[in-house]
Amino acid sequence: LSWNEAPLPAVFPPVRLEINDSEGHPSSSHQTLKGTSKWATSLENLLEDPEGVKRFREFLKKEFSEENVLFWLACEEFKKTQGKKQMQEKAKEIYMTFLSSKASSQVNVEGQSRLNETILETPHPLMFQKLQDQIFNLMKYDSYSRFLKSEIFLNHKKSEEQEENSPEAQTAAKRASRIYNT
């Protein structure tokens, strides 16, 4: 069985606790994770945040592996492509940029040699999925953990914390607590 054919383990639905105000509405004092806190929970969360992608790219550029996230992003964009002609053009662009032996930003993936230009004639949205998954796992188990320890991440986290602890943020928090504690 390959990873996508394996049966899914039985899981319990997540329990969601909600804090409500006196009128039964969800309390705005209930904070959801954002910024660096959210990025630190998973690579998926990092890649969903444009600012997270920007910082991760900055980090990968310093590690000379920015092509990995660029390839992953290109594949995500490719999946949304409509029309055979547009798909052919984008598939060829991805192939020439990341997968060809002459690629300007070649990614290191297994099975790359089996991909040749003939597959570009009949593109489909998931044609790069296995290669994209390889790159995702490479980032997840290699560069992502280093990113979380990097100066780029830690400095961004520090500046977020300073913003949260600024007098303006504290004044807003006090106003909110007065509203909900009356």
Side-chain angles (χ1 to χ4, degrees):
L1 286 179
S2 69
W3 69 269
N4 58 352
E5 295 170 348
L8 293 173
V11 293
F12 296 100
V15 176
R16 188 182 154 149
L17 298 175
E18 200 169 84
I19 300 170
N20 296 317
D21 64 16
S22 59
E23 296 170 17
H25 300 104
S27 170
S28 65
S29 64
H30 180 66
Q31 297 271 323
T32 55
L33 290 178
K34 59 184 177 190
T36 55
S37 299
K38 191 170 184 181
W39 303 349
T41 60
S42 72
L43 179 57
E44 291 89 338
N45 285 339
L46 171 71
L47 294 172
E48 287 174 2
D49 183 346
E51 183 66 23
V53 170
K54 179 182 169 186
R55 300 297 175 174
F56 192 47
R57 278 185 64 185
E58 195 179 318
F59 169 75
L60 291 176
K61 198 178 283 186
K62 289 182 175 188
E63 290 212 334
F64 303 101
S65 60
E66 182 186 23
E67 68 278 359
N68 291 334
V69 74
L70 294 176
F71 173 72
W72 188 88
L73 291 167
C75 291
E76 285 298 293
E77 197 58 39
F78 177 74
K79 292 174 192 176
K80 301 172 193 166
T81 305
Q82 301 291 315
K84 186 178 179 182
K85 185 150 179 61
Q86 287 85 354
M87 279 189 122
Q88 285 175 324
E89 289 170 9
K90 279 197 176 186
K92 184 173 183 169
E93 186 181 325
I94 288 171
Y95 179 80
M96 298 307 286
T97 306
F98 301 105
L99 301 170
S100 155
S101 60
K102 300 171 187 155
S104 55
S105 299
Q106 191 177 39
V107 291
N108 186 11
V109 288
E110 291 176 35
Q112 190 171 326
S113 55
R114 286 180 303 216
L115 256 185
N116 59 44
E117 291 188 53
T118 57
I119 66 153
L120 302 176
E121 303 302 318
T122 55
H124 58 88
L126 301 177
M127 66 188 284
F128 298 116
Q129 189 65 52
K130 283 184 180 176
L131 301 176
Q132 184 186 17
D133 290 343
Q134 283 182 37
I135 291 299
F136 179 85
N137 285 327
L138 177 69
M139 292 188 300
K140 183 175 182 173
Y141 297 110
D142 186 40
S143 45
Y144 173 65
S145 56
R146 286 195 309 279
F147 170 70
L148 295 178
K149 299 171 191 161
S150 72
E151 261 185 52
I152 291 171
F153 176 80
L154 296 173
N155 287 342
H156 193 72
K157 184 177 179 179
K158 190 175 184 179
S159 68
E160 273 183 356
E161 289 166 353
Q162 286 172 344
E163 280 178 30
E164 287 174 13
N165 295 328
S166 71
E168 297 84 28
Q170 288 178 352
T171 304
K174 284 179 185 173
R175 277 198 307 270
S177 70
R178 277 199 302 269
I179 293 167
Y180 288 100
N181 292 328
T182 55

